[in-house]
């Protein structure tokens, strides 16, 4: 037998959101926080045009996309590092610190990729339980020590949907020693409507140890193409650029992301519709008697506990795929009005 690293025997593999179908064929995928909209014609056109060059390697530096992001957000190109989805940028961060003894601090429950990436990079996970549905920032600050290299702060948090307010986040950042990089994972930033929730880009400029992670997968609807990015000051961004696997961001992803930034107004209108549906779904669930934490993302969270898998199974028989995190709860993406209605009917029928 070839010998592999021991951690691979105990590591839990990433379990992706699945699709399900009802006996009559109805199928609503509310398990992966994807955009419910078809790609924009202008984006499909850019991809079709880009397909003519796929005999060539992509631009390894993603120069045009980097420039487009820099222009859009008013940041220097040197502050940007791209990856094949923000998950791979996170992986690059883990690999940048993965020396024996290195630790990462993050809340739990949070994004299920964090423990996987930590294990893969040989970084020890130090998890701090959520306080209710929110980050326990005091607990996280106390969990930091000399071995800590990274802290992940997922805001809005996947899967609970809660986001951290400016005062609390700034107070936390002020407590973190400078040798520790704080990664603000803002995969759902475009869905935030609470004005007290800060834009991470306003926090990294005067802090050398803060990085912001963003993605084209959710609000921009490019989950299938894999492109995300980090914005941080030069030393951090340069380090992440060094760790990229050559040509990781493919040509179609690059041209589609550029086209999406051009079509941003249209895409953000769609985000606004999802936000309105989010309000409708949450209010309907509360009217049904469920407890639903306020959510700033494109999903809602139901802390169902031991009956989590039963709930997911009941939804599946109606063709509604949700994301169970047993034994804690279920995360349900906001989809089309029709999909949301199908989910609300399941929730109403489930004993609670
Ligand atoms: C979806 C998600 C991402 C983005 O993943 P991509 O690799 O960019 O598709 C990152 N962080 C969190 C918390 C997410 O939920």
């Amino acid at each position: 037998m070839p010998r592999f690293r021991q951690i691979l025997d105990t590591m839990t593999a990433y379990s992706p959101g699945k699709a399900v179908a009802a006996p009559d064929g109805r199928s609503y995928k509310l398990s992966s926080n994807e955009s419910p909209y078809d790609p924009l014609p202008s984006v499909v056109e850019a991809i079709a045009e880009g397909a003519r060059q796929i005999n060539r390697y992509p631009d390894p530096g993603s120069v045009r996309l980097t420039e487009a992001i820099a222009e859009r957000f008013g940041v220097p190109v040197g502050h940007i590092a791209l990856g094949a989805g923000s998950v791979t940028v996170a992986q690059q961060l883990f690999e940048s610190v993965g020396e024996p003894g290195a630790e990462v601090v993050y809340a739990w429950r949070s994004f299920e990729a964090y423990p996987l990436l930590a294990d893969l990079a040989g970084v020890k996970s130090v998890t701090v339980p959520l306080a209710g549905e929110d980050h326990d920032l005091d607990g996280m600050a106390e969990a930091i020590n000399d071995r800590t290299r990274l802290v992940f702060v997922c805001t809005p948090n996947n899967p609970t949907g809660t986001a951290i307010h400016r005062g609390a986040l700034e107070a936390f950042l002020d407590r973190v020693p400078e040798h520790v990089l704080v990664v603000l994972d803002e995969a759902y930033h475009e869905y935030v409507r609470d004005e007290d929730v800060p834009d991470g880009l306003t926090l990294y400029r005067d802090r050398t140890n803060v990085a912001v992670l963003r993605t084209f997968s959710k609000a921009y609807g490019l989950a299938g193409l894999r492109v995300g990015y980090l914005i941080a000051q030069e030393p951090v961004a340069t380090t992440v650029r060094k760790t990229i696997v050559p040509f990781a961001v493919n040509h179609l992803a690059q041209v589609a992301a550029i086209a999406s930034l051009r079509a941003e107004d249209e895409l953000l209108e769609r985000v606004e519709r999802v936000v309105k549906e989010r309000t409708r779904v949450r209010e309907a669930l509360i009217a049904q008697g469920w407890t639903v934490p306020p959510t700033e993302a494109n999903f809602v969270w139901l802390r169902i506990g031991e009956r989590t898998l039963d709930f997911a199974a009941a939804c599946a028989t109606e063709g509604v795929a949700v994301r169970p995190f047993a034994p804690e709860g279920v995360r349900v993406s906001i989809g089309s009005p029709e999909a949301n209605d199908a989910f609300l009917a399941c929730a109403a029928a489930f004993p609670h």
Side-chain angles (χ1 to χ4, degrees), residues 137-295:
L137 292 175
D138 284 334
M140 289 174 69
E142 282 154 24
I144 294 171
N145 60 40
D146 281 352
R147 297 179 298 280
T148 310
R149 294 291 176 272
L150 287 177
V151 176
F152 270 79
V153 177
C154 189
T155 174
N157 188 44
N158 176 2
T160 59
T162 53
I164 303 169
H165 284 175
R166 177 178 293 276
L169 189 52
E170 285 183 343
F172 172 74
L173 295 176
D174 289 343
R175 287 181 69 182
V176 177
E178 278 172 18
H179 74 271
V180 176
L181 178 66
V182 182
V183 183
L184 303 175
D185 188 342
E186 296 188 336
Y188 302 97
H189 168 74
E190 296 82 2
Y191 297 96
V192 172
R193 292 296 177 272
D194 181 343
E195 286 177 5
D196 291 331
V197 173
D199 175 337
L201 296 183
T202 63
L203 296 172
Y204 93 94
R205 287 175 194 269
D206 55 355
R207 290 182 167 89
T208 52
N209 66 334
V210 171
V212 179
L213 273 189
R214 297 271 178 91
T215 179
F216 285 96
S217 295
K218 310 281 163 52
Y220 296 82
L222 297 184
L225 277 176
R226 315 306 304 127
V227 53
Y229 56 98
L230 164 144
I231 297 181
Q233 289 191 27
E234 204 109 17
V236 175
T238 305
T239 299
V240 174
R241 282 196 299 270
K242 270 186 204 166
T243 60
I244 194 168
V245 171
F247 307 113
V249 183
N250 74 69
H251 182 60
L252 301 184
Q254 292 182 36
V255 296
I258 293 168
S260 299
L261 287 172
R262 276 200 202 113
E264 196 176 35
D265 291 349
E266 265 176 287
L267 291 169
L268 293 183
E269 252 172 60
R270 294 170 155 196
V271 167
E272 188 55 35
R273 272 180 263 158
V274 170
V275 167
K276 291 211 169 80
E277 276 295 287
R278 169 176 88 193
T279 305
R280 181 177 80 86
V281 168
R282 180 165 180 261
E283 285 173 358
L285 289 168
I286 290 170
Q288 290 176 11
W290 293 94
T291 300
V292 193
T295 170

Side-chain angles (χ1 to χ4, degrees), residues 38-78:
D38 292 339
L40 289 175
S42 62
V43 173
V44 172
E45 211 173 287
I47 294 167
E49 182 58 34
R52 297 174 189 281
Q53 285 120 52
I54 58 171
N55 55 314
R56 305 287 177 196
Y57 280 103
D59 170 8
S62 302
V63 172
R64 286 183 54 225
L65 175 55
T66 304
E67 285 170 357
I69 292 169
E71 189 180 329
R72 164 65 183 84
F73 295 105
V75 301
V77 290

